[in-house]
Amino acid sequence: MTLFLDHDVHPLRENGLFIGGEWIARSVSGRSFDVRNPATGAVVATLPDGGAPETEEAIERAVEAQRSWGTTTGPYRARILERAFELMEEHADGLARIVTQEQGKPLAEAIAEVGYGSSFLHWFAGEAERIYGRTVPASQENKRILVIRNPVGVTGAITPWNFPVAMVTRKVAPALAAGCTVVLKPSELTPLSALAVASLLKEAGLPNGVLSVVCGLDAAAIGDVMLDDGRVRKITFTGSTRVGKSLIRRSADSVKRVSMELGGQAPFIVFADADLEAAADGLLAAKMRNTGQSCIAANRVFVERAVEREFTRMIADRMGRLRVGNGLDDAVDVGPLINAAALDKVERHVRDAVDRGAELVLGSSRLREAFFEPTVIAGVDDGMLVAREETFGPLAAVLPFDTEDEVVARANGTEYGLAAYYYTRDVGRVMRLADRLEFGIQGVNDGFVSVAQAPFGGLKHSGLGREGGSEGIEEFLETKYLSLAV
Ligand code: ADP
């Protein structure tokens, strides 16, 4: 691996793919690939292009390591995770610079992501010590019923580019805490963050083979080896609904456990009785984090008609003040989009809405190569592309509504069910919406909902399973029960 990082970043002193605890500097195919900074196009690093043979090797090593790792104690695993948490905090700045260089987000957001990412190591260090079984009263005097928990086993983890540290730790930390070994395939766009996390875990004392990181351009080749190997007992994935569905289908042959964090189409609902200033601030957080490239990004901003004008102006004022640029530069609020396809999609959503009669309030243009202006459109209806597809960009689309029943039906009128946000001062309405909205994550007068303690996950086509919270470790545990005659 050749690194062109602009300073001596501790977590990535080492070289190559990370397989069985070793750094592998050459791929079996002899090919390599470039990692680029989306803001400038500059090459940040060149990595060996791993594929099927590297994945097979990583699985072999994971299967071997599983025998011992799976029988270690929870407190032992907790100590390693806690040590990795401390190391990640120590190296937060270096890690954040890697994130910004390969992913583009402003440095302040990258530092926040590293903090969020490391919090999973801390949280699941705690959970590793709380893997409880239980006893159940039997119906016969000479019987005892015991429930015990064991690790699922070798886990294949596939992660996306938008949160290249946090999406890794959100999977790897609970898997390791439960006693599972992991073969991780990070996004080919952002592999360096994942390698850096692996480097810190190694330094924290993680035994060889317990975690491997296979990076490469041919995602399907790597994924297929994981899916077709019956010894891999679990697939955990964050990414598009399209790829997620194909992984679920292919997991069926060896009946793997699956956890899926897939796409979203988040409604952000503002009632006329809301604190509009708080709602506008909340929208900025829920919309503009990572330049809108988040699966829980507010995509449809439903505003009660009585306050539609006022609220639209408030968000346009706020979004108009944001400074767009290279995430490494000081005083930048909004970074680039990940690639040209992402820019095309935002542009398509804006054009479609305006062609069908929506009003352009702010922005609407590309700025230089990789950047898009923060954009606000009003008078959007449910038929427009922006109301049907995940935009994944800095576009706020305002849709007016008149009644609670109407907005609930329209918010639910999507195949997705990941996050929803609503702002109101009416506590009765909050409880009605909580039950009626078909979304797994709900921000109530709150635009920032990502924390390690809470179960994150979606309904409907947004996924299966939960990450974070006490639910997060359940995904990596099997249940056995013993019927004991005494
Ligand atoms: P996004 O649209 O966010 O890039 P993807 O679903 O395309 O989402 O990618 C998420 C992750 O899934 C990435 O690591 C990517 O390389 C990987 N991936 C894409 N296609 C496949 C596949 N066929 N099998 C396994 N992994 C895949």
Side-chain angles (χ1 to χ4, degrees):
M1 171 169 72
T2 317
L3 286 177
F4 303 97
L5 294 168
D6 64 352
H7 75 145
D8 180 24
V9 181
H10 171 87
L12 264 181
R13 275 197 311 242
E14 348 245 351
N15 285 331
L17 309 181
F18 184 67
I19 297 176
E22 313 272 327
W23 295 93
I24 309 295
R26 261 183 71 83
S27 62
V28 172
S29 70
R31 287 191 297 267
S32 55
F33 71 104
D34 293 333
V35 180
R36 289 175 187 274
N37 182 336
T40 60
V43 175
V44 179
T46 301
L47 282 178
D49 185 8
E54 285 82 1
T55 314
E56 285 160 9
E57 173 67 15
I59 293 173
E60 283 305 329
R61 300 302 307 271
V63 169
E64 265 167 48
Q66 183 63 48
R67 290 187 208 113
S68 49
W69 183 247
T71 55
T72 54
T73 66
Y76 171 80
R77 299 193 296 273
R79 275 198 299 278
I80 294 174
L81 289 169
E82 192 62 22
R83 179 74 189 119
F85 163 69
E86 288 162 6
L87 286 170
M88 200 180 279
E89 292 222 305
E90 227 171 87
H91 296 293
D93 285 349
L95 196 48
R97 292 184 76 85
I98 294 175
V99 171
T100 294
Q101 285 179 86
E102 67 177 356
Q103 198 275 337
K105 69 184 61 179
L107 209 45
E109 279 195 50
I111 288 170
E113 183 190 337
V114 171
Y116 176 47
S118 66
S119 72
F120 288 100
L121 295 168
H122 176 66
W123 174 258
F124 285 108
E127 289 299 295
E129 298 187 333
R130 291 189 284 269
I131 303 172
Y132 302 131
R134 67 188 208 277
T135 62
V136 183
S139 48
Q140 288 158 279
E141 280 173 15
N142 71 332
K143 291 270 190 120
R144 302 290 182 271
I145 296 171
L146 287 79
V147 181
I148 63 167
R149 317 300 307 282
N150 290 138
V152 169
V154 178
T155 294
I158 302 175
T159 53
W161 50 264
N162 58 349
F163 291 88
V165 168
M167 296 304 98
V168 166
T169 53
R170 203 160 81 174
K171 297 183 184 318
V172 169
L176 298 180
C180 296
T181 58
V182 180
V183 177
L184 169 67
K185 192 212 88 65
S187 168
E188 58 280 15
L189 300 174
T190 56
L192 302 172
S193 303
L195 291 166
V197 170
S199 169
L200 293 174
L201 277 159
K202 181 178 165 72
E203 191 175 338
L206 194 71
N208 291 346
V210 173
L211 172 67
S212 290
V213 184
V214 181
C215 313
L217 290 180
D218 191 347
I222 297 168
D224 287 354
V225 172
M226 291 184 186
L227 288 159
D228 293 344
D229 192 320
R231 297 170 301 172
V232 176
R233 296 310 311 145
K234 161 99 191 175
I235 293 288
T236 174
F237 171 77
T238 297
S240 62
T241 295
R242 181 184 63 79
V243 172
K245 286 180 180 176
S246 75
L247 300 180
I248 296 170
R249 277 187 209 105
R250 202 154 172 160
S251 294
D253 283 339
S254 50
V255 196
K256 294 188 203 312
R257 294 264 297 266
V258 290
S259 296
M260 296 281 146
E261 294 288 350
L262 309 177
Q265 209 343 331
F268 188 103
I269 307 171
V270 182
F271 289 92
D273 69 358
D275 176 341
L276 295 186
E277 293 288 337
D281 290 343
L283 178 70
L284 246 71
K287 175 76 253 179
M288 295 305 293
R289 183 178 178 210
N290 203 21
T291 321
Q293 302 171 111
S294 148
C295 50
I296 56 169
N299 216 59
R300 296 169 294 158
V301 187
F302 290 106
V303 185
E304 194 166 345
R305 207 175 297 275
V307 295
E308 184 201 359
R309 284 278 114 202
E310 185 184 357
F311 187 72
T312 304
R313 187 182 43 70
M314 287 167 74
I315 61 174
D317 282 351
R318 282 166 170 75
M319 285 174 64
R321 284 199 294 270
L322 299 174
R323 292 152 303 189
V324 181
N326 185 331
L328 289 176
D329 295 341
D330 287 342
V332 160
D333 304 304
V334 182
L337 290 172
I338 191 71
N339 56 24
L343 286 152
D344 289 347
K345 188 170 195 192
V346 183
E347 205 160 47
R348 202 163 58 242
H349 282 187
V350 175
R351 201 175 321 118
D352 169 80
V354 172
D355 286 352
R356 292 167 186 240
E359 179 198 347
L360 194 54
V361 180
L362 177 76
S364 85
S365 308
R366 285 175 188 234
L367 297 165
R368 306 183 302 281
E369 273 295 281
F371 302 90
F372 204 96
E373 282 179 298
T375 298
V376 178
I377 48 178
V380 170
D381 68 44
D382 297 356
M384 296 174 185
L385 271 185
V386 64
R388 291 187 281 121
E389 294 177 356
E390 194 174 27
T391 306
F392 245 56
L395 166 63
V398 177
L399 300 83
F401 73 89
D402 292 300
T403 69
E404 183 182 314
D405 282 346
E406 171 206 332
V407 79
V408 167
R410 289 171 66 192
N412 285 338
T414 164
E415 66 189 22
Y416 295 110
L418 191 56
Y421 306 85
Y422 39 100
Y423 278 73
T424 175
R425 289 183 166 110
D426 178 341
V427 72
R429 172 145 61 203
V430 168
M431 294 316 299
R432 288 193 298 275
L433 261 62
D435 286 335
R436 295 176 67 199
L437 286 174
E438 297 162 351
F439 294 86
I441 301 161
Q442 303 192 7
V444 185
N445 299 325
D446 189 8
F448 192 88
V449 292
S450 302
V451 290
Q453 303 94 313
F456 185 107
L459 314 182
K460 293 154 72 176
H461 293 214
S462 287
L464 294 169
R466 294 293 179 270
E467 292 186 323
S470 53
E471 288 84 349
I473 197 165
E474 294 291 325
E475 303 284 329
F476 298 93
L477 293 169
E478 284 289 7
T479 299
K480 294 177 188 160
Y481 110 81
L482 280 59
S483 178
L484 183 70
V486 297

